[in-house]
Amino acid sequence: MRWSRLGVEALVVGIPAAAVLAAPDPFSYATVSGLVASALLPLRRWPRIAVLLCMPALAGGLGWAPTVVALYALGRAQPRIRMLAGWVLLTAAVAVAPVMITQSLGVGSIILTVAFVLLAAGAPTALGALVALREQLADSLRKLEAATEAELQAKAETARAEERARIAREIHDAVGHHVTLIAVESAVLAATTEDPGAQDTAGRLRGLAKQALDEMRATLGLGTPGQQAGLRTIPELVTRARAAGVDVELSSEIGDPHAVPPAVERAAYRVVQEALTNASKHAPGAGIKVRLVFREGSLHVAVTNGAPDRQGPAVEVGGGGSGLAGLAERVQMAGGWLAAGPSEDGGFELVAVLPQQR
């Protein structure tokens, strides 16, 4: 990059200098002043100074080559018509004055000389202004395209959000209806039966139905959630599983859960919830161990269960949801990873590693 810039500067200085050396010297100082003006062209980043430094060479008759470069730089830097017109007139006056003083010209020759000088001074200035204007228009066009793309993305996101909201409402209406019926029938069963065991079971079913409704509404954003599912609610999840007859043991070494981001907390809760559900379905009667621990800046969630008890009753349920695939996607969205597979004792092990900071 540096060498290419040096090459450009060499061309900017060398070409006008070569033009000065190739022209005859009508005055004793013309060549020297032209070479000095060419050598000072790197100062064109301050274009008005560069144009002023070219004036002595322009008055000597050999300053047009560096002056053209300086005027182009001026047009690039200051594309305002009135200001540029003033500099063009000043340049033309400096170039014409020596000719008018040293030569006797007729009216026609004077008009042609002035017209030629104005054209010679105005053309590079106008070209620089046009290039600057083109760059401004190109920049405006890029910004407009970016704004248009952002608007289209916003519209697409709005459409997706509306579709998600519609689907959420449909899920809430369909599933919520059946879960509500389960809660109502459980309450009726608890009120009408005299069997204490059946009353306890009906009460648990009603509580589970109510919690399912609350979690569904909180997840779908259709209601005011109570306590959010997270690390603090995992003990409650384990307690409910025990009440349902699942042999589950919880070991927690997480300390203060306030340092864990909400997305990580929710992912950890879903890992434990899905693992308990799968173990209850596929390994009925087997003992389950849940372990939560912080290690090397990450939250490790491990759920293992033993081999299924073939003597126990099989648990028949309907087809599940997204299962481990959906759970792995949820963990990845929280910045972690999930591993699942058979354990050495014939059971199953599920391990999730989630970042403590997100």
Side-chain angles (χ1 to χ4, degrees):
M1 184 68 180
R2 180 182 178 185
W3 287 107
S4 62
R5 185 168 183 176
L6 290 175
V8 171
E9 293 296 330
L11 290 175
V12 169
V13 174
I15 293 176
V20 171
L21 293 174
D25 189 353
F27 303 107
S28 59
Y29 63 90
T31 300
V32 175
S33 61
L35 292 176
V36 171
S38 299
L40 295 175
L41 282 177
L43 297 176
R44 68 188 183 282
R45 66 183 64 183
W46 301 283
R48 286 176 290 185
I49 296 177
V51 173
L52 290 175
L53 292 175
C54 290
M55 293 300 176
L58 189 62
L62 295 181
W64 272 112
T67 302
V68 166
V69 176
L71 288 173
Y72 173 79
L74 181 65
R76 287 283 306 272
Q78 302 287 342
R80 290 195 292 271
I81 301 301
R82 292 184 180 180
M83 188 275 297
L84 293 179
W87 281 97
V88 169
L89 292 176
L90 175 62
T91 303
V94 172
V96 169
V99 177
M100 297 299 180
I101 294 173
T102 59
Q103 298 183 26
S104 178
L105 301 176
V107 175
S109 297
I110 293 175
I111 294 175
L112 289 176
T113 300
V114 172
F116 174 80
V117 171
L118 287 174
L119 179 62
T125 308
L127 180 61
L130 289 175
V131 171
L133 181 60
R134 179 182 179 278
E135 291 177 349
Q136 292 178 359
L137 292 176
D139 184 63
S140 299
L141 181 60
R142 285 192 296 269
K143 292 180 179 179
L144 179 61
E145 290 176 349
T148 302
E149 184 178 357
E151 182 181 1
L152 292 176
Q153 291 179 353
K155 289 182 178 179
E157 183 61 30
T158 300
R160 288 193 292 268
E162 292 176 352
E163 180 65 13
R164 287 194 295 267
R166 184 188 66 80
I167 295 174
R169 287 192 296 269
E170 291 183 0
I171 292 175
H172 177 268
D173 293 343
V175 179
H177 171 73
H178 296 292
V179 175
T180 301
L181 289 179
I182 293 174
V184 171
E185 292 188 15
S186 298
V188 172
L189 177 61
T192 56
T193 185
E194 296 180 358
D195 185 355
Q199 290 178 347
D200 292 341
T201 301
R204 286 197 302 272
L205 287 176
R206 183 184 180 188
L208 289 173
K210 182 178 182 301
Q211 184 190 8
L213 281 174
D214 291 341
E215 287 194 12
M216 180 179 65
R217 288 166 180 162
T219 302
L220 299 179
L222 298 178
T224 302
Q227 186 178 17
Q228 292 290 337
L231 296 177
R232 301 169 187 80
T233 56
I234 288 179
E236 299 177 8
L237 181 63
V238 172
T239 300
R240 289 194 299 271
R242 288 172 181 164
V246 179
D247 180 12
V248 55
E249 176 185 344
L250 174 63
S251 173
S252 177
E253 302 175 14
I254 58 175
D256 182 14
H258 292 283
V260 182
V264 173
E265 283 203 53
R266 289 191 295 270
Y269 181 89
R270 297 305 177 193
V271 168
V272 176
Q273 185 181 48
E274 181 70 17
L276 292 177
T277 301
N278 288 341
S280 301
K281 288 165 52 179
H282 304 296
I288 305 173
K289 294 182 178 180
V290 179
R291 186 183 182 196
L292 308 174
V293 61
F294 279 131
R295 186 185 306 153
E296 298 178 355
S298 298
L299 172 62
H300 291 245
V301 182
V303 183
T304 58
N305 62 267
D309 183 6
R310 302 301 179 184
Q311 303 299 323
V315 179
E316 297 293 338
V317 295
S322 55
L324 292 179
L327 188 62
E329 182 179 355
R330 175 185 286 272
V331 171
Q332 290 176 0
M333 291 177 61
W337 55 269
L338 180 76
S343 58
E344 296 180 356
D345 60 355
F348 196 81
E349 182 178 25
L350 188 147
V351 178
V353 178
L354 297 157
Q356 185 175 355
Q357 301 295 331
R358 180 65 172 157

